[in-house]
Amino acid sequence: QVQLVQSGAEVKKPGASVKVSCKASGYTFTDYYMHWVRQAPGQGLEWMGWINPNTGVTIYAQKFQGRVTMTRDTSITTAYMELNSLKSDDTAVYYCARDSTNWQLRHWGYWGQGTLVTVSS
Amino acid sequence: DIVMTQSPDSLAVSLGERATISCKSSQSVLYNSNNENYLAWYQQKPGQPPKLLIYWASTRESGVPERFNGSGSGTTFTLTISSLQAEDVAVYYCQQYYSTPVTFGGGTKVEIK
């Protein structure tokens, strides 16, 4: 069965960086886009970007351009999201979510369990 | 960017009654080449990731109960829960995947009256 297992909770100081991992299993990793979404406490869902695990091509939301990097390691079927220059309002649960294709945006049937990132001095 | 607007923000419905959630997009999410609406609905319960309920505006994901129905086209969409059950208490989000950036509605919290 398809599983996306994310790394554990992080506590970071303002200005630091965080790197969240998303280990995929149960399917061919390179066949589906991987998205990253975040959810601040009590708030809605905010799309950050996606990576094509097959090619490594990324598309980022303009809000995060220059501050986010999405990568993948196909040998261990893991996607990563690194966010730099953290601020307090980056405190959120970060999710990876698998698309239904790797050639066009589609719906997302599988999600990781979420990783809480807390930014606090 | 396509702005997704959901209404209401919250609603309380009696068990067994119908719940209706509206979602409007600032531009059409109907893709003419395949006549599909690039619109999905997700359910999120506290402490859990969102769960896909409906895609292509009206296609129920495998395993989703038949009481969940999606309808609409173009810019106006509706999620209907035909007979609310206790386990349906959650926040519901619409999402457009027609274009980047992918955007979500603000969410509708469904509670039991």
Side-chain angles (χ1 to χ4, degrees):
Chain A
Q1 73 283 19
V2 173
Q3 282 195 302
L4 301 176
V5 179
Q6 298 184 221
S7 49
E10 303 262 13
V11 179
K12 296 292 183 180
K13 293 195 182 303
S17 299
V18 69
K19 190 170 185 177
V20 179
S21 67
C22 173
K23 166 71 175 175
S25 62
Y27 71 97
T28 302
F29 179 64
T30 52
D31 281 355
Y32 303 90
Y33 288 155
M34 191 73 79
H35 298 265
W36 290 89
V37 171
R38 75 178 187 179
Q39 187 170 38
Q43 301 301 308
L45 300 165
E46 181 176 34
W47 180 77
M48 300 179 69
W50 58 253
I51 182 167
N52 183 335
N54 187 39
T55 63
V57 169
T58 53
I59 296 289
Y60 303 138
Q62 189 169 9
K63 174 177 180 176
F64 300 101
Q65 286 275 3
R67 211 159 64 91
V68 71
T69 304
M70 296 177 189
T71 57
R72 90 292 190 215
D73 185 336
T74 57
S75 68
I76 56 172
T77 65
T78 299
Y80 301 93
M81 186 284 301
E82 183 171 24
L83 190 61
N84 302 319
S85 304
L86 290 169
K87 301 167 283 189
S88 58
D89 60 4
D90 290 319
T91 294
V93 175
Y94 289 76
Y95 293 102
C96 58
R98 199 202 79 171
D99 205 302
S100 301
T101 76
N102 69 351
W103 59 274
Q104 187 187 48
L105 293 180
R106 294 285 173 91
H107 49 278
W108 309 347
Y110 299 95
W111 293 65
Q113 83 276 19
T115 296
L116 175 62
V117 176
T118 303
V119 183
S120 173
S121 54
Chain B
D1 298 3
I2 298 177
V3 177
M4 307 299 290
T5 303
Q6 282 183 238
S7 62
D9 292 337
S10 64
L11 73 161
V13 175
S14 300
L15 288 172
E17 295 300 306
R18 180 187 301 263
T20 302
I21 301 169
S22 171
C23 174
K24 296 189 177 183
S25 56
S26 60
Q27 63 190 76
S28 176
V29 297
L30 175 62
Y31 200 47
N32 291 330
S33 65
N34 60 7
N35 202 37
E36 294 282 11
N37 288 282
Y38 281 50
L39 188 286
W41 289 95
Y42 296 85
Q43 174 194 64
Q44 187 177 33
K45 297 181 179 180
Q48 296 183 19
K51 172 188 173 184
L52 177 66
L53 295 177
I54 303 283
Y55 57 96
W56 299 137
S58 61
T59 301
R60 206 177 296 115
E61 171 73 333
S62 175
V64 172
E66 292 183 0
R67 64 180 179 273
F68 290 93
N69 291 281
S71 62
S73 185
T75 62
T76 303
F77 301 91
T78 302
L79 175 69
T80 302
I81 309 172
S82 59
S83 176
L84 191 75
Q85 305 299 303
E87 60 266 32
D88 301 335
V89 169
V91 178
Y92 294 84
Y93 294 94
C94 60
Q95 175 209 42
Q96 68 79 20
Y97 46 95
Y98 180 88
S99 65
T100 301
V102 172
T103 49
F104 294 86
T108 297
K109 187 174 185 178
V110 175
E111 300 172 308
I112 304 296
K113 186 186 293 183

